[in-house]
Amino acid sequence: MRVDNGSALVTGGASGLGFATASELRRRGAQVVIADLATSPGQQKAEEIGATFAPVDVTDGESMQTAVDVAVQAAPLRVLVTCAGIGTPGRVVSRGAPMPLEQFERVVRVNLVGTFNAIRLATLAMAANEPVDGDRGVIVTTASVAAFDGQVGQAAYSASKGGVVGMLLPVARDLADKQIRVMCIAPGTFKTPMLASLPQDAQDSLAAQVPHPARLGDPTEFAGLVGHILDNGMLNGDVIRLDGAIRMAPR
């Protein structure tokens, strides 16, 4: 689907996979809206690529609706890519105490509920579009290999990303009659701010675990796959692991 006649909304677009995707969509001619926290460098990043910044909390319906409205005002909303997420680690029981329930809930709320919140609001705008190349819109969600290979300390994160995977097919089926395609990418170990916060030896260890290529993924490779999903009209209702064949060890 061509995007040079429409707008694209990228949640978590101020850094990492989101910013690489926003840059790719802008290169393709879309009017891009970077939706990220007010405390993020979203305004600066938007100016770098000629996009628009919309401060948003993806778990809040009102601010998410505002971001959708900003996109629609620029051009018909054709693309939603949901990259906003957090990865707070924590074991079920640690040092004799259970994981705080609020910690588990927060991760699930941002990663899973936030993804659905963006989908439900963007869908309504997309459904009003005239089809382009057979589609009124395309949605790409972001899961993780942790949805399938969760490690020690990833109960909350894996649950949230497993939920993103689990809702994919029913959402794609819900939206089929509206000519909106829905796909999900499950990235492995990528050079993102979340991973960059780890010590260098930990990053090197993760890179060495990738069978081929034995390195961390580059965010532009994620963005390139988003571009291919837009181009290939038969991609719908499925998850693509983008991981160099890695299967995560328990720790």
Side-chain angles (χ1 to χ4, degrees), residues 17-44:
L17 304 179
F19 183 65
T21 300
S23 300
E24 171 64 18
L25 293 168
R26 190 73 190 96
R27 186 188 68 78
R28 287 170 171 254
Q31 299 298 314
V32 174
V33 176
I34 290 175
D36 213 317
L37 293 171
T39 54
S40 75
Q43 184 62 47
Q44 173 191 340

Side-chain angles (χ1 to χ4, degrees), residues 179-209:
Q179 296 173 279
I180 298 172
R181 292 189 288 119
V182 190
M183 286 289 292
C184 179
I185 301 174
T189 48
F190 273 68
K191 291 183 288 188
T192 64
M194 189 182 299
L195 195 148
S197 65
L198 297 176
Q200 188 59 51
D201 60 345
Q203 295 183 44
D204 294 342
S205 174
L206 287 170
Q209 293 176 38

Side-chain angles (χ1 to χ4, degrees), residues 144-162 241 246-251:
S144 166
V145 295
F148 313 101
D149 313 329
Q151 295 185 294
V152 167
Q154 287 191 319
Y157 186 68
S158 293
S160 69
K161 294 301 187 177
R241 286 184 67 132
I246 197 172
R247 296 299 180 267
M248 303 298 288
R251 66 184 73 221

